[in-house]
Amino acid sequence: MVDVASLTEDGFDAELTGARGKRGRLTEAQGGTMVLDNVGAMAPVLQARFLRLLETPGYKPSGETRARESDVRWIATTSDDLKQRVAQGTFRADLLFRLAVFPIEVPPLRERREDLPELAAMLVAAARARISGSEYPEVTLDDEVIETLLSYGWPGNVRELGNVLERATIVAQRLPIDAAILRGVLETNFAEKPTPAGAEFNLRRNLDVQERGLVLRAIARTRGKKREACDLLGIDARNLGYYLRKHKIREDEMKQAAES
């Protein structure tokens, strides 16, 4: 994987195609996949050079006279709206067309909370492996930790989740991460601190309001049938219980919604 934002004009060729005494990423990826992370951050001066690299069947490491065949699958990731960037003139349209042969849109983490338990366990295992220098351990997170994770808005998506869980792993040391440790880390997390002005833009507050409203609307639509409400919301019964507790939705509120 190459973080495109870190590429410089001088180091572009050495990093991707290689130079004397240095194997480029393209050589290492032969027969496999090259992931270009944060491709929207590529400097305009490098976009034309990268487009040529994509459209040329072979590549030539710096200092060599013979081109090498290229057998690489390219995957590009970005959180930017590249169509908007093209309209603004900061991203080449031909490069976008070359990259977006088969676009896949990944919803933000707050819209796929059912993925959180498995994803969190994987990220904790990866963090423990990095810290200890050993193989990935098997990790199980308890229900209270999962509920704490589900209660957070994750405006920074998977990167923020990984950052929080790595810090929690460091704090916990060799012990399992518990909810108290996780809450302590989240309380110091910069993305969660609201600003005094412009409170109407606070993501967590607005998401909570929307979540509560959606739950009650699903209860109303299904006339109080919780299983059908779960199907509408795209969650299971356990998660419905969590949202009812999180938003303090009482039985009388649900009854009133079902009868309205």
Side-chain angles (χ1 to χ4, degrees), residues 105-120 122-123 149-165 186 207 211 243:
E105 184 174 348
V106 180
L109 197 52
R110 65 179 179 272
E111 293 180 11
R112 48 191 176 100
R113 291 173 182 267
E114 66 278 5
D115 293 340
L116 254 171
E118 186 175 351
L119 184 57
M122 182 193 73
L123 289 170
L149 291 170
L150 289 169
S151 70
Y152 184 71
W154 302 111
N157 290 305
V158 177
R159 279 192 175 90
E160 184 184 9
L161 176 64
N163 173 273
V164 165
L165 291 175
L186 283 172
L207 286 171
E211 280 180 0
Y243 284 114

Side-chain angles (χ1 to χ4, degrees), residues 120 123-124 127 130 148-149 152 154-172 177 181-192:
L123 289 170
V124 171
R130 281 195 301 273
T148 303
L149 291 170
Y152 184 71
W154 302 111
N157 290 305
V158 177
R159 279 192 175 90
E160 184 184 9
L161 176 64
N163 173 273
V164 165
L165 291 175
E166 183 158 9
R167 282 192 283 151
T169 300
I170 293 170
V171 172
I177 296 172
I181 289 173
L182 186 58
R183 282 193 290 267
V185 172
L186 283 172
E187 284 172 4
T188 63
N189 202 41
F190 72 92
E192 188 66 10

